[in-house]
Amino acid sequence: MDQLLKLLDLLSAESFQSGQYLARKLGVSRASVSTWVSKLQALGVDINIIKGRGYRLVGSVDLIDQARVVSSLEVQTRVQVSHIDVKGETTSTNDDALASLYNTSAWHVYVTELQSSGKGRRGKAWSSPFAQNLMFSMARKAHISTEALYSASLLAGVAVANALNMHCGLQVGLKWPNDIYMDNQKLGGILCEMQGNPQDEPLLVIGIGLNINSSPTGLDYATCSLKSLGVHRRDRTTLLACIVDQLVKIFMQDSEDQVAAALAQWQEYDILKNRDVTVTRGQHVSFGKAQGVDSKGQLLVLGESGKVELLNGGEVSVRW
């Protein structure tokens, strides 16, 4: 994949590049260039090929620019982030984060243009076309308060919602515990994982997927993307930096009162509150009315019996 990215860097939407030129720049044979072009086309990259002239991109390809991510971060964020890794392809950015070594309490950021085994909640796969959307994970091994750990998905949701508002002017909504919605359509999702003892210095991994230029189809719920919503500012690099800024900022507020304040902000984004919902846990299905979340980030559901039930994230599905 790294060679494919190097080839993409050499290709241009402005003019044709000959196979001989590309082979010389990459230090490979013209046959290898032809093979790599075919692989890029299989990934959905539109390349015009004319015999005797060479190869030309049909439109530009917006790759995540690692250097520009760093330069776009706020100064106070840069000192909190020690590692930003951008790959062409990986199995899962959450898996990359979980497998890495952490020698400091700084944040690590793992980004990819393509995931072969991306993860969603409840064991579902998360897939996305090459270089079209945002798929990344942020991870930190440090002492984190119990309140922040167990509300991590909700705090991350607030950070993403704030970033989308700042960067794109979108007033998105959040669906408990980890989905980003716009106009009743899913725009993205969050998957938090933890490794280690919560009382010590656990590793917290926050995986985020956002639909920027495309959204999945054939699902049992509606989806959207920034493109389908008509958002013109869709630069994935600067949006990534903005989200990293907001995530670092919200997790620096680690006292019980500060977490409670962030959860109060989450309530402002809550799209489930006062809706009739269906709650599925394994084979058990129940019905009720969503009542917001408590101070621990648990969803409150007023059941048909009149009793309020507390729901943790876990293996619970909530639909309206």
Side-chain angles (χ1 to χ4, degrees), residues 236-268:
R236 296 184 304 139
T237 294
T238 53
L239 176 55
L240 171 62
C242 188
I243 295 173
V244 172
D245 280 334
Q246 293 301 309
L247 276 165
V248 169
K249 187 176 298 183
I250 203 165
F251 277 92
M252 284 177 66
Q253 303 171 17
D254 199 25
S255 72
E256 183 176 350
D257 288 344
Q258 289 169 325
V259 171
L263 289 177
Q265 188 181 8
W266 189 92
Q267 307 262 22
E268 298 173 11

Side-chain angles (χ1 to χ4, degrees), residues 47-203:
I47 301 174
N48 192 3
I49 305 173
I50 296 181
K51 189 175 181 179
R53 297 187 67 186
Y55 309 92
R56 181 178 66 85
L57 289 176
V58 179
S60 59
V61 178
D62 171 34
L63 295 175
I64 301 292
D65 186 328
Q66 182 180 24
R68 198 154 59 85
V69 173
V70 174
S71 66
S72 298
L73 293 174
E74 295 179 3
V75 174
Q76 58 267 38
T77 302
R78 289 181 209 164
V79 299
Q80 300 290 332
V81 176
S82 66
H83 180 86
I84 298 178
D85 179 40
V86 180
K87 291 183 176 179
E89 181 180 11
T90 192
T91 54
S92 159
T93 57
N94 265 28
D95 285 348
D96 289 345
L98 289 166
S100 295
L101 296 175
Y102 298 83
N103 299 318
T104 71
S105 61
W107 288 93
H108 290 209
V109 183
Y110 303 87
V111 192
T112 190
E113 297 290 7
L114 183 69
Q115 283 189 142
S116 58
S117 302
K119 296 186 287 186
R121 281 190 73 238
R122 305 175 72 211
K124 294 181 179 179
W126 176 278
S127 60
S128 171
F130 175 74
Q132 291 295 305
N133 299 319
L134 262 183
M135 296 167 289
F136 70 101
S137 299
M138 287 184 62
R140 182 179 181 227
K141 191 178 190 316
H143 175 73
I144 302 172
S145 69
T146 302
E147 291 81 12
L149 276 177
Y150 290 111
S151 300
S153 289
L154 279 69
L155 298 182
V158 171
V160 173
N162 288 343
L164 286 169
N165 188 6
M166 293 173 60
H167 188 271
C168 306
L170 278 186
Q171 297 286 343
V172 299
L174 298 174
K175 174 181 173 289
W176 185 92
N178 60 352
D179 290 333
I180 298 103
Y181 268 73
M182 187 70 189
D183 298 335
N184 290 324
Q185 303 170 92
K186 186 173 177 179
L187 179 63
I190 298 165
L191 176 66
C192 291
E193 299 185 79
M194 188 181 70
Q195 194 177 77
N197 185 349
Q199 305 304 319
D200 189 15
E201 290 190 347
L203 173 63

